Amino acid sequence: MTAPALALVLVFHYVPVLGNVVAFQDYDPYVSTNGVTAILESPWVGLAQFERVLADPAFRHAVENTLVLFLLQLVLYFPVPIVLALLVNSLLRPGVRAFVQAVLYLPHFFSWVLVITVFQQILGGAGIIAQTLREHGHEGFDLMTDPDVFPLLVTAEGIWKDAGWGVIVFLAALAAVDQDLYEAAAMDGAGRWRRMWHVTLPALRPVIALLLVLRVGDALTVGFEQLLLQRDAVGPGAAEVLDTFVWWTGLRSQDFSYAAAAGLIKGVVGLVLVLSANKVAHLMGEQGVYRR
């Protein structure tokens, strides 16, 4: 039963890794009749492509934007699913809990096109808030095209779309908590907040540590489709991140070796971040992604 899933992972994740060899070439897809034989016939240039990438101001600017968005999402987005899980878990009536969960999960199934359209209709220059302000004699605004607030806008879109979906993991962890612990704490005089601090949060700690390690490892991936759709509205100065940089330099400009080198640098840095964050998790007494 797992064979089809493993085949998909092999074909779409591991086989393409072999294509990273073009990062060490001056790859020309037209030197041969197909892309595979073109790899064999393209000249080798060693680390020249990596030197080009590291010396490119556009690449450094993309890294800077990526790190800014990552830090914002880590501070503002990461705690939201935890808080929502605690709130949902505190609901006693099953019907109310099921309704709240359905409302929270629903935006996850919306495409980024629909999510950005919703925000455009609310926060755009022709959105409902701007129109209401103009009708009452005030000056309107257009947050969807403002580069200064774009990082906060992207973070807000991500929270609305995916924070509810992230609740699932934390609710599963809370479901495994022994209810006797809550009863014992209540008998000892612990109130609601004390029970949450001494029972609920310690139960969530291993899951929080695991997801935090994975999130740090994914620091250089902050949302390709979401940013690409809004890139023209705010300009590449605000919306250019590593993923969109690789897209524009690789597929649009057809500089495949340069884009492959940039993507390989991103992958190596991501691996180092995962290992480093996992080491910190071990020092804190948590398992992390893997055991010592």
Side-chain angles (χ1 to χ4, degrees):
M1 292 178 64
T2 60
L6 292 175
L8 288 174
V9 171
L10 178 66
V11 172
F12 291 103
H13 288 80
Y14 286 95
V15 172
V17 169
L18 301 176
N20 283 325
V21 69
V22 302
F24 303 93
Q25 296 179 313
D26 186 9
Y27 176 68
D28 183 1
Y30 305 107
V31 76
S32 180
T33 56
N34 63 72
V36 176
T37 56
I39 294 178
L40 301 177
E41 298 181 19
S42 295
W44 295 88
V45 296
L47 300 177
Q49 301 293 351
F50 295 92
E51 294 174 358
R52 283 182 58 202
V53 171
L54 295 176
D56 190 349
F59 175 78
R60 293 196 292 269
H61 181 69
V63 172
E64 185 178 315
N65 283 346
T66 302
L67 293 177
V68 168
L69 289 177
F70 162 68
L71 291 174
L72 275 176
Q73 293 179 6
L74 187 65
V75 174
L76 300 179
Y77 172 83
F78 187 79
V80 174
I82 303 173
V83 174
L84 290 176
L86 294 174
L87 293 175
V88 172
N89 189 64
S90 65
L91 298 175
L92 300 179
R93 297 182 60 181
V96 177
R97 179 183 298 185
F99 174 76
V100 171
Q101 287 178 280
V103 171
L104 292 175
Y105 298 164
L106 185 61
H108 173 77
F109 300 98
F110 296 162
S111 68
W112 275 115
V113 175
L114 180 57
V115 171
I116 293 171
T117 301
V118 170
F119 273 77
Q120 177 69 40
Q121 294 301 317
I122 298 175
L123 302 176
I128 185 172
I129 297 179
Q131 290 184 15
T132 303
L133 289 174
R134 294 191 190 98
E135 290 174 358
H136 290 81
H138 301 286
E139 184 178 356
F141 60 85
D142 187 0
L143 296 183
M144 300 299 293
T145 59
D146 189 344
D148 295 331
V149 301
F150 182 71
L152 294 174
L153 176 67
V154 170
T155 305
E157 292 170 351
I159 290 174
W160 185 74
K161 185 178 188 298
D162 287 326
W165 187 253
V167 170
I168 295 176
V169 177
F170 296 106
L171 287 179
L174 290 175
V177 179
D178 190 351
Q179 295 301 312
D180 292 341
L181 295 176
Y182 289 107
E183 296 177 3
M187 292 181 63
D188 288 339
R192 179 185 295 270
W193 291 104
R194 284 292 181 182
R195 292 197 297 270
M196 182 186 70
W197 184 260
H198 293 288
V199 179
T200 306
L201 289 180
L204 291 178
R205 182 174 168 177
V207 178
I208 294 174
L210 173 61
L211 294 181
L212 187 59
V213 170
L214 295 176
R215 185 67 194 93
V216 170
D218 211 26
L220 302 184
T221 302
V222 289
F224 169 72
E225 184 180 357
Q226 177 191 12
L227 293 165
L228 187 65
L229 289 170
Q230 300 177 89
R231 188 177 187 272
D232 292 337
V234 297
E240 191 78 293
V241 294
L242 279 175
D243 285 340
T244 58
F245 176 82
V246 171
W247 162 267
W248 282 96
T249 56
L251 296 183
R252 296 300 297 269
S253 304
Q254 296 191 356
D255 195 349
F256 298 105
S257 294
Y258 183 83
L264 200 56
I265 291 174
K266 171 190 168 184
V268 171
V269 172
L271 176 61
V272 172
L273 289 175
V274 167
L275 297 177
S276 302
N278 200 69
K279 182 65 176 179
V280 173
H282 289 166
L283 294 176
M284 295 175 61
E286 301 296 337
Q287 177 176 326
V289 178
Y290 58 86
R291 301 187 180 205
R292 301 185 210 188

